[in-house]
Amino acid sequence: MPVLELEGKPDLEGNPREFSGELMVGSGSQAAWRIAGQDLAARHFKVRGGEDGSAAVVPASPQNVVVVGGKQVPPSGAPLKSGDVIAAGAARFVFLANKDSKRPAPAAAPPDAHLIDATSKKGYTMRKRVVQIGREIGCSIVLKDPTVSRFHADVRGEAGEFVLYSMGSAGTKINGQPVTAPRLLVEGDLIQIGETTFTFSRAPLPPGVRPVQFEDHDDDTFSRRSTQLAQRAVTLEAGKYPTKSGREIPLLPMLVGGAVVSILVVLYLIFR
């Protein structure tokens, strides 16, 4: 009978867990194997065992990150073989064909990861559980870019790897593709946020790039502005409206003219 084992928790009740058919794992009451304190969703993933000895792991939701062999498991699932490690939340599970199957050796700690901004020659070291990127001065990485949201994206340590979550109204791209669900970062990924591009890497920093963990910013004036979703926008601070040709029209005369026209229309309707 197949077995699922939670690494590092030999005293946990029900560990290892034998099952037949399907086993749902999560932190909620609807999970067949309920595990608290491991950053799991209420229903995080399920493991299916076939009568022919085959097995597969399937995320319970596209928003749940599950990693096998260093690769993110797609919503459709991924096959398993005995000894495979399933990483989810802060936990590592070992899938075994039976309770006497050979266990894999514990994984070594990976080297530090960085988000490298080649333009500013900074390599942000990923040592925090959550690295926030945005225009807000409280973010770990602050981008003074009007197209970037105050809290635009998070990079979270999850499933033994790093996962990008995009929250910005203008969107985030990895290797030119929009991010619509949590995305596992792999070596060399190019992350585009506004006008800034980061490279994700665990390799030593290139010459000339200095390591940075996070920065303090005292001036929050820029972060309080509204996010600019398009190039054409009403610049109220300047009191002008930019046209398609780039020529700026003063706003005040436009507003006064519109008010006068509205009053004349109302008077006409009253006294006609």
Side-chain angles (χ1 to χ4, degrees), residues 226-245:
S226 299
T227 305
Q228 181 177 315
L229 299 181
Q231 290 185 350
R232 268 186 93 205
V234 176
T235 53
L236 296 177
E237 293 181 1
K240 297 179 180 180
Y241 177 83
T243 63
K244 289 184 178 180
S245 64

Side-chain angles (χ1 to χ4, degrees), residues 48 76 79 104 192 206 240:
R48 295 172 177 164
S76 58
Q192 184 180 342
K240 297 179 180 180

Side-chain angles (χ1 to χ4, degrees), residues 43-237:
R43 289 160 49 92
H44 204 104
F45 68 88
K46 55 189 173 184
V47 178
R48 295 172 177 164
E51 295 181 357
D52 59 354
S54 63
V57 57
V58 183
S61 163
Q63 299 300 314
N64 297 346
V65 175
V66 181
V67 176
V68 174
K71 295 182 179 180
Q72 186 172 357
V73 177
S76 58
L80 290 172
K81 62 181 183 298
S82 187
D84 275 346
V85 174
I86 304 169
R92 282 167 53 91
F93 299 85
V94 180
F95 171 76
L96 302 169
N98 57 69
K99 63 181 180 180
D100 297 322
S101 297
K102 183 180 179 181
R103 272 76 171 164
D112 281 339
H114 298 88
L115 290 181
I116 302 172
D117 180 357
T119 302
S120 65
K121 298 189 180 302
K122 294 178 182 178
Y124 295 91
T125 308
M126 311 295 289
R127 290 179 182 166
K128 299 174 67 176
R129 184 176 175 275
V130 179
V131 174
Q132 291 183 316
I133 306 172
R135 209 174 65 244
E136 172 63 42
I137 61 171
C139 291
S140 306
I141 302 176
V142 179
L143 301 179
K144 292 190 175 183
D145 181 340
T147 65
V148 172
S149 298
R150 291 177 59 197
F151 300 98
H152 197 103
D154 285 353
V155 179
R156 306 177 191 175
E158 187 175 347
E161 305 287 344
F162 290 95
V163 180
L164 178 73
Y165 288 77
S166 177
M167 290 89 71
S169 56
T172 306
K173 294 181 179 180
I174 295 181
N175 303 326
Q177 299 299 317
V179 177
T180 57
R183 175 83 172 267
L184 181 73
L185 296 175
V186 299
E187 183 68 29
D189 271 347
L190 298 178
I191 305 163
Q192 184 180 342
I193 299 177
E195 299 297 323
T196 302
T197 299
F198 298 98
T199 302
F200 176 80
S201 179
R202 290 187 184 273
L205 291 175
V209 176
R210 62 185 179 90
V212 178
Q213 286 200 30
F214 59 89
E215 299 171 301
D216 292 327
H217 295 265
D218 297 327
D219 182 9
D220 66 350
T221 304
F222 192 85
S223 70
R224 299 301 173 186
R225 298 179 185 176
S226 299
T227 305
Q228 181 177 315
L229 299 181
Q231 290 185 350
R232 268 186 93 205
V234 176
T235 53
L236 296 177
E237 293 181 1

